[in-house]
Amino acid sequence: MNGTVSQFEFGMITPVTAFLMACFGSALGLRCTTRSLRRTYHRGRWLALGSISIGTGIWTMHFIAMIGFSIRGASITYDTRLTFLSLGVAVAVVAVGVFTVGYRGVSRSTLAAAGIFTGVGVAAMHYLGMSSMHVDGDFSFDPVTVAVSVIIAIVAATAALWAAVSLHALWTSVAASAVMGLAVTGMHYTGMAAVSVHLNEHGSAVSSDPSVALFTFLLPVVAGPVAVLIIAASIVMFDPDMLVGQNDDSHDRPAVHAPSPIGRQLPAHNNRHAP
């Protein structure tokens, strides 16, 4: 028999919280990328922290939203290995995209390749997380809706990578992170709309509220990545240049395609000795 699926078992608490976590991770990632472009001697470290922030934020958004997913009369369990593998996939694919544009810039070909790879990877993270779910029945997916969710993920990833190396002011980063959070959350719920469940007719009875059991599993799982985001936020907040003002002016930021800071200083040096 077909199971009755709900995405909002706890009302709007889970989608709103999921959206905020996606925004939080995106905002941290954008600020870290800005640091990497201004401090080339620590570029790799900042890009790595930005990748962890964005990837962890996306993954945390996904599983917070999953807390609100329920199937009436059925108990849902998760494969812990696949759950954490999906976290690794999220961070890895975001890292590939962020490091690519961080070092190569945002030419059309580079941005397209990085955006497609990262978007498909984010979608893979989503469906890998779905495959970690076990229920007394079978899941099926509408291929058209799945394709739409992948397209949304690619567009969101491409926009995020462009924003990461193109937007540097604090207010533009905040606005971009809100758009990114909305896109990633929309991708998640679009993907979830593709799901239908066929329950076994002679399945075992559920002895307790399945949504509560799922909540008690996912909440501790999500707590670790949330702690990682808090640590990343602390690093960014205590960075001397976090308070944006004259420090974020364009003349302080080395351009992505610029050859080197020394090369740009030579004309000024020569001018000082000109008669």
Side-chain angles (χ1 to χ4, degrees):
M1 65 178 175
N2 292 327
T4 302
V5 174
S6 173
Q7 305 290 343
F8 309 103
E9 182 69 20
F10 299 99
M12 293 303 296
I13 294 176
T14 47
V16 170
T17 305
F19 165 73
L20 292 176
M21 290 306 301
C23 292
F24 184 41
S26 299
L28 286 176
L30 291 179
R31 300 315 297 162
C32 289
T33 308
T34 295
R35 297 293 180 278
S36 76
L37 299 181
R38 297 178 55 206
R39 300 176 181 177
T40 55
Y41 50 93
H42 286 320
R43 176 171 293 182
R45 297 180 185 180
W46 282 111
L47 291 177
L49 185 60
S51 301
I52 293 171
S53 299
I54 296 175
T56 303
I58 293 173
W59 185 90
T60 305
M61 176 281 304
H62 169 78
F63 277 95
I64 287 178
M66 290 306 300
I67 291 175
F69 177 79
S70 65
I71 304 170
R72 182 178 299 173
S75 179
I76 303 173
T77 59
Y78 276 78
D79 183 316
T80 304
R81 290 185 306 167
L82 287 178
T83 298
F84 284 105
L85 177 60
S86 66
L87 171 60
V89 169
V91 174
V93 297
V94 169
V96 170
V98 168
F99 273 83
T100 298
V101 299
Y103 280 100
R104 296 179 61 88
V106 287
S107 65
R108 290 184 179 181
S109 58
T110 299
L111 186 60
I116 292 172
F117 179 86
T118 304
V120 171
V122 169
M125 176 278 299
H126 171 85
Y127 290 105
L128 182 61
M130 287 295 300
S131 69
S132 70
M133 298 173 59
H134 296 297
V135 66
D136 191 13
D138 299 305
F139 289 99
S140 61
F141 297 86
D142 175 62
V144 175
T145 309
V146 169
V148 172
S149 71
V150 174
I151 292 173
I152 294 174
I154 292 174
V155 172
T158 303
L161 294 174
W162 173 83
V165 295
S166 302
L167 303 179
H168 306 286
L170 180 59
W171 71 270
T172 55
S173 295
V174 171
S177 65
V179 174
M180 291 159 56
L182 183 63
V184 172
T185 306
M187 174 266 163
H188 170 85
Y189 283 105
T190 300
M192 295 305 297
V195 177
S196 58
V197 184
H198 183 78
L199 298 175
N200 295 331
E201 295 183 4
H202 303 291
S204 58
V206 178
S207 59
S208 60
D209 188 343
S211 62
V212 173
L214 180 61
F215 182 84
T216 57
F217 168 77
L218 285 181
L219 190 60
V221 168
V222 169
V226 170
V228 171
L229 289 175
I230 293 174
I231 293 172
S234 300
I235 295 173
V236 174
M237 287 294 294
F238 287 101
D239 181 70
D241 292 340
M242 179 54 192
L243 295 179
V244 179
Q246 68 274 16
N247 290 330
D248 265 0
D249 290 343
S250 59
H251 63 270
D252 273 347
R253 268 192 329 267
V256 176
H257 302 288
S260 70
I262 296 176
R264 291 196 302 276
Q265 292 172 0
L266 285 176
H269 178 75
N270 294 335
N271 288 339
R272 286 199 300 269
H273 296 279

